[in-house]
Amino acid sequence: MTSHSRLLLSALLMAGLGGALLSSSILAGATLLLALAGMVLSVRKSLYKTGWDKPKELRLLHFAFWFFVLASFLSWTLEGFDYEGGKTLGTHARFILFWPLIVAVTYARIGARTMFAAIGLIAVSVIAIFLATIAARQGAFNQLLNSRFGGGINPISFGNLALLGGMLTIVAAIFFTREKRRIVGTLLFLAGTAAIVISMLSETRSNMVALPFLLVALIPLLGKRLRIAGLVVIPLLVAGAIVTSDRMSHSLNGLLHDGDLDTGMEIRIEVWGQAWSMFRENPWTGVGLGGYTHRIESEVEAGNLSKHFIDCCTGHAHNDLLNNAATSGIPGILSWALLIFIPLAIFARHLFSRHVPTAHLATAGTMVCAGYFFFGLTEATFNRTLFLTFYLLAVASLASAMFTELSGSYVRNRARRVSATVITKNEEDHIADCLTSARLVADEIIVLDSGSSDRTVEIARGLADVVEVTDWPGFGVQKQRALEKATGEWVLSLDADERITPELAREINHHLADPDADAYKLPWAVTIYGSRLDFGRSGRAPLRLFRREGVSFSDALVHERILIPAGRKVKTLRGRLTHYTHRDFGHSLEKSAKYAWLGSLEKHRKGKKTRTMIYPTVRGVMTFVQVFFIRFGFLDGAVGYLTAVTYAQVTFNKYAGLWTLDRPARPKNHEDLQ
């Protein structure tokens, strides 16, 4: 694809987000075209040919979107492929376009500027719709104010998305102001504020619930002095919005003075009760995607519900959580939670990033997820095509842009002297690559060998600054010896089977230009059997880089720890520390047995005991569950499963070995054997 193609992809994104409220067809068409482009790029492997190292966070987001579709498909299958359920599945199935969208937006190199320009168009479209409506009504402004403004669509959908678009535009305004584009920033601030005001004309109650949380999401973008002021102003803004909302004021007055809710809320509560009953009857499978509709229709026909429910409440339960619980049971609840909270966690992690574009994109992404959570309290947003498609495109494009910005943000040069330490024994297959990668971030390399019988020492002497051969006292003591020989202010402690990737090297050098912590964890990327694992065992981030002063290693025989003085700050970097754990399965078995037995000896040395074989068994099962399920090891496929089983076996062997160490080596009475 050429630069013209990238411009076309950017234009499609702008059209999709900016035109969402003008016409759902514009949003759907732009999303589909972007996804088709992503599919073509995937087939051609165009993005991977550029050297793209796909972030594991994007894979996790992809899983969240696919799992939602999978849960819906399972529900539809179990109910017997119902027609009503099929229509709902057709809406949910749009989520399978998430990865093609990621590929297209990433390939187009869409960053913060393009993203926020597209977001600004949302506010512009809200204003345009409002002005067009006034013109169509020949200036009947008072009449407009006395009705629920919906911009030609459902007032709830318009109000929610207009509010979200307005808040996102405020984020865009702050971004461009920080970029010294004050005129653009000012115009976007005015447009965003206008869109928020117009959204309130929809009289949507969920807007009032979401507004304070969306405003709070802006706080990290403000200076330290403004943050306190912001926390004072937010309640005033929310109170003002409630007071000026006739519908909200009426609801609150009725609740506070008469103890009664308005008709709309009473109906919703009754619908929620119906959904909860359906879930309690079928907690594991739900009643099916079409089952909710059929149940409400049958209850109305039986006279148990008012006929009004046919008009308002047959399609969904007006609450995302309860709707998924009723139709898909526990899998539905889980799929909804993953769809909201996985993106929320990924965006929120970067809210306080020092990199301005990343922080603003993270704020925008956090707003989208938080907004949908609160909108979903009174509306089944993921059952409405407009809501669902907007969420799909917004999350995919914001996430892609954020990681594009992150990858390009590591530009500073290291200003701290770093010593890399490596301990070895018979590592001739690994040592050259390890030391070469370490040189990307280290001024000094120290290798301590424990009597290798191969060419490890010879190779190391050609690449390291200090190479010494010693005895073998155990991992902890040996690494402490290497640490004591380091002269750098910072130390990078590597194993011979680990590699610093180029992107991780850029990140380390960037952070050590002006460290924001005293030590850094480096996320593993275990690489075995031709596959790089992003989850499971790679879910760990071992401490490897630290300020040398006051730091030491524990004296453990295996699984030593780096002892950081209390009060020091530790952060986790994003780049991956490639870890070649073993050469083949035979080496895996050999290494696993060695580490398990050393672990047994270490625990025995500390006085630990295992009295029955039940404990090793339970610990082994727990390790499998942790690696394969809790750390999402299943996303790594067959190799992920094999790795989880292998580590479960290591855990079992370690505690089984400890059990044997507490038993006599020989029978107490030799005559028992005769």
Side-chain angles (χ1 to χ4, degrees), residues 245-309:
S245 171
D246 293 336
R247 194 162 178 252
M248 194 69 179
S249 299
H250 177 73
S251 297
L252 289 177
N253 285 332
L255 182 62
L256 294 176
H257 294 95
D258 303 324
D260 296 328
L261 295 170
D262 60 54
T263 304
M265 285 307 301
E266 287 179 349
I267 290 175
R268 273 179 167 75
I269 290 174
E270 193 165 357
V271 168
W272 295 342
Q274 291 288 330
W276 178 246
S277 297
M278 295 178 204
F279 170 69
R280 292 184 62 185
E281 293 171 12
N282 303 274
W284 291 106
T285 62
V287 295
L289 293 186
Y292 170 83
T293 297
H294 298 314
R295 176 69 67 86
I296 295 297
E297 290 174 344
S298 64
E299 289 294 312
V300 170
E301 187 177 345
N304 297 325
L305 290 176
S306 166
K307 291 184 178 179
H308 182 68
F309 282 83

Side-chain angles (χ1 to χ4, degrees), residues 405-420:
E405 290 286 1
L406 270 174
S407 296
S409 68
Y410 310 128
V411 295
R412 297 184 296 181
N413 294 320
R414 175 167 44 89
R416 303 294 189 276
R417 179 175 169 81
V418 176
S419 296

Side-chain angles (χ1 to χ4, degrees), residues 110-122:
I110 290 174
R113 291 180 182 177
T114 302
M115 196 67 226
F116 285 124
I119 283 171
L121 292 177
I122 303 174

Side-chain angles (χ1 to χ4, degrees), residues 62 126 246 301 417 448 485 509:
H62 186 207
V126 171
D246 293 336
E301 187 177 345
R417 179 175 169 81
L448 258 60
K485 295 182 181 297
N509 289 330

Side-chain angles (χ1 to χ4, degrees), residues 33-54:
L33 289 174
L34 277 170
L36 289 173
M39 293 176 191
V40 173
L41 290 168
S42 296
V43 171
R44 295 179 177 179
K45 300 187 182 300
S46 302
L47 188 55
Y48 296 97
K49 290 176 182 177
T50 66
W52 184 55
D53 185 14
K54 59 183 176 185

Side-chain angles (χ1 to χ4, degrees), residues 180-203:
K180 309 300 182 185
R181 300 187 176 191
R182 291 185 174 86
I183 295 178
V184 175
T186 301
L187 291 174
L188 286 175
F189 181 81
L190 294 174
T193 303
I196 293 170
V197 172
I198 292 170
S199 75
M200 295 302 165
L201 298 178
S202 68
E203 296 285 347

Side-chain angles (χ1 to χ4, degrees), residues 238-485:
V238 174
I242 292 174
V243 169
T244 56
S245 171
D246 293 336
R247 194 162 178 252
M248 194 69 179
S249 299
H250 177 73
S251 297
L252 289 177
N253 285 332
L255 182 62
L256 294 176
H257 294 95
D258 303 324
D260 296 328
L261 295 170
D262 60 54
T263 304
M265 285 307 301
E266 287 179 349
I267 290 175
R268 273 179 167 75
I269 290 174
E270 193 165 357
V271 168
W272 295 342
Q274 291 288 330
W276 178 246
S277 297
M278 295 178 204
F279 170 69
R280 292 184 62 185
E281 293 171 12
N282 303 274
W284 291 106
T285 62
V287 295
L289 293 186
Y292 170 83
T293 297
H294 298 314
R295 176 69 67 86
I296 295 297
E297 290 174 344
S298 64
E299 289 294 312
V300 170
E301 187 177 345
N304 297 325
L305 290 176
S306 166
K307 291 184 178 179
H308 182 68
F309 282 83
I310 295 293
D311 299 322
C312 75
C313 309
T314 55
H316 54 77
H318 288 280
N319 179 286
D320 272 326
L321 175 59
L322 289 173
N323 190 71
N324 279 280
T327 59
S328 303
I330 291 175
I333 294 174
L334 181 59
S335 69
W336 169 82
L338 293 176
L339 192 60
I340 291 290
F341 293 110
I342 284 182
L344 181 62
I346 289 173
F347 285 121
R349 182 186 175 191
H350 299 283
L351 282 175
F352 294 93
S353 172
R354 285 177 160 186
H355 187 236
V356 171
T358 298
H360 287 71
L361 288 167
T363 300
T366 300
M367 278 187 176
V368 171
C369 300
Y372 268 72
F373 174 82
F374 290 106
F375 299 155
L377 294 178
T378 57
E379 186 71 11
T381 58
F382 296 124
N383 270 40
R384 290 187 179 273
T385 302
L386 176 61
F387 267 122
L388 181 143
T389 310
F390 186 87
Y391 188 77
L392 169 65
L393 184 57
V395 171
S397 55
L398 284 168
S400 173
M402 186 175 76
F403 288 112
T404 295
E405 290 286 1
L406 270 174
S407 296
S409 68
Y410 310 128
V411 295
R412 297 184 296 181
N413 294 320
R414 175 167 44 89
R416 303 294 189 276
R417 179 175 169 81
V418 176
S419 296
T421 62
V422 184
I423 64 172
T424 61
K425 183 173 183 180
N426 295 332
E427 294 285 0
E428 68 175 359
D429 293 337
H430 290 296
I431 192 62
D433 289 339
C434 174
L435 299 184
T436 300
S437 74
R439 189 61 76 181
L440 296 174
V441 297
D443 303 282
E444 174 187 56
I445 297 178
I446 298 162
V447 176
L448 258 60
D449 187 78
S450 305
S452 293
S453 58
D454 59 9
R455 297 178 57 249
T456 298
V457 174
E458 176 188 345
I459 296 170
R461 282 181 174 148
L463 297 168
D465 299 286
V466 177
V467 180
E468 292 188 9
V469 179
T470 72
D471 61 337
W472 175 247
F475 284 92
V477 174
Q478 188 75 330
K479 289 193 175 184
Q480 179 63 29
R481 287 174 176 175
L483 175 61
E484 291 169 357
K485 295 182 181 297

